[in-house]
Amino acid sequence: MEIIKSFSFGGFPSKAVLCNKQELLPSDTALFVADHHTRELISLPEGLAEVTLIPGEEGKQWDAVDKILKTAMEEGLARDSLICGAGGGVVTDMTAFAGSLYMRGCRVILIPTSLLAMVDAALGGKTGIDAGVYKNMIGTFYPAEEVRICPELLRDLPLKEYMNGLGEVLKTAIIGDADLLQLLVEKREAVLARDTEILSEIIRRCILVKGALVEEDLREKGRRAFLNLGHTFGHALEAVSEFRWSHGAAVIWGTVKALEASVRLGLASPDWAEEMKSLFLGYGYELEALEDPQAILEAMKMDKKKQKGKLRYILPAGPQDIRIEFLDPDFVLEVLKVK
């Protein structure tokens, strides 16, 4: 087991580690949470209490959290008992949310099984569930004490889910790691081929970028908001499309919209914006959406990242140069109409 780094997130100790499949499940796990897809990835000791959830975003609702909490009570878990969640961002979010609520907070260790969860969702303490189609509207900040990452699990990940995670990788590189961005430009074929050595380096770099921002700003009052690049636009597209757009693909589309807004405001150069669009196209992402721009704008009004009733937009002015802007809705609508 290799420690990537030990962090302190708002007083919560949390560490991210690379490990092999045999090291994934902590020996003192009291309750194991997974979904129907990820349950088979890890061998469980006989008699271990477990909860198996419906996979996918549609299952990210209160009923699933309630199931975890009721099982914890039935099994007599205490505050120092360990709940371990293995899955993508949906499972890790709901496991940590349940852990934050059980006896006002019990131990949680997360085992991300998707690239998106490894580089983003499982680290940093954001937990929660959706409210209908509106993403992550109900939740807490509760960092897991440990995130155990096994890149080997990505070999059999469906292509759509792998690309889902790469969307967050590309976003992270633009935000905070010039060397990672260059790696993604130069090693595209190896990245798409899921080269284990390169994946380990990508995961490590993403963890360090996100971890540094969360250590500085657990509750997203300042620079942690940079991690939302592409998300205000992207979450709205997910909602309007009823999740036909996957999260990573929507984040890339949202990043393109943020780039277009940034160019219109004179923050980003048109040439650099086109370079980023070409990079996204080279990885096979769709940069245009057929959904109604007005409907997308209306969905944005439900975004939880508002300040004093106004939406914050995270705009890239250049590599590792991120700005937070409050934009007029008419301006945003014009950006949304650009094809």
Side-chain angles (χ1 to χ4, degrees), residues 186-204:
E186 296 177 353
K187 303 290 185 180
R188 184 183 65 189
E189 290 185 8
V191 173
L192 291 173
R194 310 188 198 192
D195 178 274
T196 302
E197 185 175 337
I198 285 180
L199 277 178
S200 295
E201 181 66 10
I202 285 172
I203 292 166
R204 181 183 288 105

Side-chain angles (χ1 to χ4, degrees), residues 2-7 14-17 123 207-208 211-212 215:
E2 174 193 345
I3 297 176
I4 297 174
K5 190 171 181 182
S6 295
F7 300 99
S14 181
K15 66 181 176 181
V17 302
L123 183 81
I207 288 288
L208 292 175
E215 278 195 313

Side-chain angles (χ1 to χ4, degrees), residues 63-269:
D63 286 350
V65 175
D66 188 53
K67 187 176 181 180
I68 298 170
L69 294 172
K70 284 180 177 175
T71 304
M73 287 187 284
E74 290 166 0
E75 295 294 325
L77 268 63
R79 183 175 285 177
D80 61 353
S81 297
L82 173 62
I83 300 178
C84 185
V90 171
V91 170
T92 58
D93 266 22
M94 291 194 294
T95 301
F97 184 36
S100 75
L101 298 176
Y102 188 70
M103 294 194 172
R104 298 193 176 97
C106 68
R107 296 176 58 215
V108 173
I109 286 179
L110 299 176
I111 302 171
T113 60
S114 69
L115 181 58
L116 188 151
M118 290 179 187
V119 301
D120 185 65
L123 183 81
K126 281 188 177 180
T127 82
I129 55 175
D130 300 339
V133 297
Y134 298 107
K135 291 196 57 155
N136 303 323
M137 291 294 288
I138 302 164
T140 58
F141 290 94
Y142 194 71
E145 66 180 60
E146 195 170 299
V147 179
R148 297 192 176 189
I149 299 168
C150 177
E152 181 185 345
L153 296 177
L154 299 176
R155 292 176 185 170
D156 299 320
L157 193 68
L159 178 60
K160 181 179 179 180
E161 287 304 317
Y162 184 68
M163 298 308 296
N164 210 14
L166 274 182
E168 291 285 357
V169 171
L170 286 158
K171 175 213 77 175
T172 302
I174 292 171
I175 290 168
D177 192 331
D179 290 337
L180 176 57
L181 188 59
Q182 193 61 32
L183 182 154
L184 292 166
V185 170
E186 296 177 353
K187 303 290 185 180
R188 184 183 65 189
E189 290 185 8
V191 173
L192 291 173
R194 310 188 198 192
D195 178 274
T196 302
E197 185 175 337
I198 285 180
L199 277 178
S200 295
E201 181 66 10
I202 285 172
I203 292 166
R204 181 183 288 105
R205 286 185 171 276
C206 287
I207 288 288
L208 292 175
V209 170
K210 180 168 187 178
L213 287 170
V214 177
E215 278 195 313
E216 177 184 325
D217 178 27
L218 172 65
R219 296 184 179 274
E220 203 173 287
K221 303 297 184 183
R223 280 166 39 88
R224 180 174 182 165
F226 292 177
L227 294 166
N228 294 319
L229 174 62
H231 284 62
T232 300
F233 288 103
H235 279 170
L237 178 62
E238 287 181 83
V240 170
S241 72
E242 296 182 339
F243 301 112
R244 289 189 300 275
W245 278 73
S246 68
H247 178 69
V251 164
I252 290 296
W253 174 85
T255 300
V256 168
K257 290 302 170 187
L259 282 164
E260 290 170 352
S262 191
V263 169
R264 284 180 172 229
L265 291 171
L267 299 175
S269 77

